[in-house]
Amino acid sequence: MTELTNKSALELAAGLKSGEFSSVDVTQAHLDRISATEDDFNSFITVTDELALETAKAVDAKRSAGEDLHALAGVPVALKDLVVTEGTRTTAGSKMLENWVPPYESTVHNKVKAAGLPVLGKTNLDEFAMGSTTEHSAFGNTRNPWNLDHVPGGSSGGAAAALAGFQAPLSVGTDTGGSVRQPAAFTGTVGVKPTYGSISRFGIIAMASSLDQVGPMGRNVADAAALHELLAGHDPLDSTSLPDEVGGFLSAAQTSELKGKKLGVIKQLAGEGYQDGVRTAFTAALETAAAAGAEIVEVDCPSISYALDAYYLIMPSEVSSNLARYDGMRYGLRVEPESGPVTAETVMSATRAAGFGSEVKRRIILGTYALSAGYYDAYYGSAQKIRTLVQNDFAKAFADCDVLVSPTTPTTALKFGAEKAADPMSLYLGDVATIPANLAGIPGLSLPAGLADGLPVGFQILAPAREDIKLYEVAGPLEAALESDGGRVLDTLAEGLNAK
């Protein structure tokens, strides 16, 4: 690694503003880092080096001319390959879209371009965001920079690995049931799932539309907050976009203190069935928060016990509906049958059989069944009722607490080919702590809380809907307190990578 790739996004922004180095210098350093490490990590599906350097040169020219620029102008970013990028292929990690070049632009990419952030490339993911390990990609597994025998989490595994591997200072992921927060926990980075509707989903390839949310990712809380401010805001192109004014996240992360904050530990997510090291790190983080002046209380959210079951009915039902568009007729892959008549039905069948992976097929089948006549009320309808109960439980808990907290995941990063891979349900249980936030539409954040057996542990913070700033009011000072106690988690990784 170089000095430039080791800097945080805000450190890079300060150096660019002062003229200490140029955006071309920063961008090229990260592209060189990607080139040197991509065989190990496989974080990216597409590296857009020429486009990134063009943007960097343009930013440098504007800065030299004295133009007013966004605070993050010139700082590189990586985009999950669900973010539609006009003129650059967008695959969703699937053979179905392997060679698709979008004719339109996502709002997220438009905002990134307008602010002058060079896009290093499109990161790897579980196919159509379905998975928790980034093992379900048509473009190979992404590996965890902490230990290449372990997964980086998913589905935003490539975005997280790019951060942890010092290939990018900022990443954009998506979170449907924990797909930003879980890989952040597995890689020792910071991942944010904002309030549903606070960042535009226009041009984000849909998995489950009532659950999907774009999420900023960084190597520290302040970097994630700065990216969150850039991405958030109302978008008339997205019918689910909130009209709220957003901002103040970075200031909250940098100036808040824990004294007087009330943290509610969710009884149902307090550690039963959790890995010993995860429980120990979470308890230690709570003690650090208490020592810094926070009040720790236990809260009861009984419906959370049913959240996982409800999610795995609602999510595949929406998957079944959203993925019906991939029919071999309009765009993407087209496969004709090897024999027999070539009809709409036979082309669709052959295309979907060849284009979708096993996990995608599993969820489509489950969702189609849940929506079928005679089962809709029993399954999908009942799951939506549970969703309402989860929302009500959160509302009651937030009436007494500033934020709610839990471990982000029950375990540290799993090994590739773990015995759990043969049992999808056991993998789904890894989302038990992250899924409730998506069902309720509330914001959540995962930050590093130490190590267990040499791998990172995540600490999850949840806040009321539309009050994302509360995440940063707690996460910023807690991160500082944890680093004061035990040092920065990623420094351990940086030392190891430099030693190699």
Side-chain angles (χ1 to χ4, degrees):
M1 294 189 299
T2 67
E3 182 182 353
L4 290 178
T5 58
N6 198 37
K7 289 182 180 294
S8 72
L10 291 179
E11 288 173 338
L12 291 171
L16 288 168
K17 185 176 181 180
S18 68
E20 182 182 350
F21 38 75
S22 69
S23 181
V24 169
D25 294 335
V26 173
T27 303
Q28 188 62 61
H30 284 90
L31 290 170
D32 290 344
R33 174 67 181 165
I34 292 170
S35 178
T37 57
E38 192 56 2
D39 286 345
D40 287 335
F41 303 152
N42 193 33
S43 304
F44 288 84
I45 292 175
T46 303
V47 178
T48 52
D49 45 358
E50 292 183 5
L51 288 174
L53 288 170
E54 284 178 15
T55 301
K57 290 175 184 176
V59 169
D60 287 339
K62 290 178 181 179
R63 186 168 271 119
S64 296
E67 293 188 27
D68 288 334
L69 298 174
H70 189 276
L72 291 176
V75 178
V77 65
L79 304 180
K80 185 177 181 178
D81 207 16
L82 279 183
V83 179
V84 167
T85 45
E86 182 180 5
T88 300
R89 74 167 180 162
T90 302
T91 71
S94 177
K95 289 182 180 179
M96 189 66 78
L97 295 175
E98 184 173 6
N99 298 306
W100 183 57
V101 178
Y104 70 103
E105 195 72 274
S106 63
T107 297
V108 163
H109 191 217
N110 270 333
K111 287 196 170 192
V112 165
K113 288 194 301 180
L117 277 68
V119 176
L120 298 169
K122 310 295 289 295
T123 57
N124 202 7
L125 68 151
D126 289 296
E127 184 182 7
F128 286 103
M130 297 183 212
S132 303
T133 60
T134 316
E135 290 177 284
H136 301 290
S137 169
F139 300 90
N141 298 340
T142 295
R143 290 172 286 276
N144 193 327
W146 285 85
N147 187 321
L148 299 183
D149 294 329
H150 289 251
V151 304
S155 63
S156 305
L163 291 172
F166 296 89
Q167 296 175 318
L170 294 170
S171 289
V172 176
T174 65
D175 191 310
T176 305
S179 290
V180 160
R181 289 161 290 154
Q182 185 251 32
F186 279 6
T187 58
T189 56
V190 175
V192 182
K193 180 249 165 226
T195 293
Y196 180 79
S198 62
I199 295 179
S200 174
R201 291 187 300 109
F202 180 78
I204 307 300
I205 296 175
M207 173 190 169
S209 301
S210 76
L211 300 162
D212 296 343
Q213 187 56 63
V214 174
M217 306 176 73
R219 286 199 290 266
N220 61 52
V221 173
D223 283 1
L227 183 57
H228 191 169
E229 288 187 2
L230 167 62
L231 299 177
H234 178 66
D235 179 14
L237 297 176
D238 177 0
S239 62
T240 62
S241 179
L242 295 172
D244 305 11
E245 292 290 330
V246 293
F249 303 146
L250 179 57
S251 175
Q254 293 176 326
T255 63
S256 300
E257 59 180 36
L258 284 172
K259 187 176 181 180
K261 295 289 190 299
K262 195 171 184 179
L263 280 55
V265 179
I266 302 172
K267 178 182 177 181
Q268 286 73 19
L269 302 176
E272 183 179 349
Y274 282 58
Q275 182 180 323
D276 288 343
V278 170
R279 246 190 342 259
T280 299
F282 176 68
T283 301
L286 287 177
E287 291 172 352
T288 297
E295 180 184 355
I296 312 297
V297 299
E298 185 179 73
V299 298
D300 189 15
C301 297
S303 61
I304 282 181
S305 301
Y306 306 103
L308 192 73
D309 300 328
Y311 174 85
Y312 277 102
L313 286 169
I314 295 170
M315 176 271 294
S317 295
E318 296 187 13
V319 163
S320 173
S321 175
N322 276 323
L323 269 63
R325 70 193 69 179
Y326 303 105
D327 55 9
M329 306 292 174
R330 287 166 281 193
Y331 61 96
L333 184 69
R334 176 185 172 91
V335 177
E336 296 187 358
E338 295 181 359
S339 60
V342 178
T343 66
E345 184 177 339
T346 60
V347 168
M348 185 184 300
S349 178
T351 298
R352 290 166 73 85
F356 289 143
S358 59
E359 183 63 23
V360 172
K361 291 174 182 176
R362 180 183 294 117
R363 298 193 191 196
I364 289 174
I365 291 169
L366 177 59
T368 304
Y369 180 80
L371 292 175
S372 61
Y375 295 101
Y376 180 94
D377 289 334
Y379 293 115
Y380 184 76
S382 297
Q384 292 287 20
K385 292 176 183 177
I386 294 296
R387 186 178 199 165
T388 300
L389 293 177
V390 171
Q391 292 170 337
N392 291 342
D393 275 359
F394 274 135
K396 292 176 184 176
F398 284 128
D400 295 325
C401 300
D402 294 298
V403 298
L404 304 179
V405 298
S406 76
T408 308
T409 58
T411 68
T412 54
L414 305 170
K415 281 190 174 183
F416 283 106
E419 65 278 2
K420 290 187 176 183
D423 178 9
M425 282 307 300
S426 63
L427 275 177
Y428 297 166
L429 289 170
D431 300 329
V432 65
T434 53
I435 277 172
N438 298 83
L439 287 177
I442 64 173
L445 178 152
S446 178
L447 76 157
L451 301 175
D453 301 322
L455 292 170
V457 173
F459 185 98
Q460 179 176 239
I461 303 168
L462 304 175
R466 298 183 167 187
E467 297 186 48
D468 301 47
I469 196 167
K470 288 188 175 181
L471 295 177
Y472 299 106
E473 289 174 346
V474 172
L478 178 57
E479 177 186 60
L482 289 170
E483 291 179 359
S484 176
D485 277 359
R488 196 168 71 111
V489 167
L490 275 175
D491 285 345
T492 303
L493 176 59
E495 291 170 4
L497 292 175
N498 278 328
K500 294 178 181 179

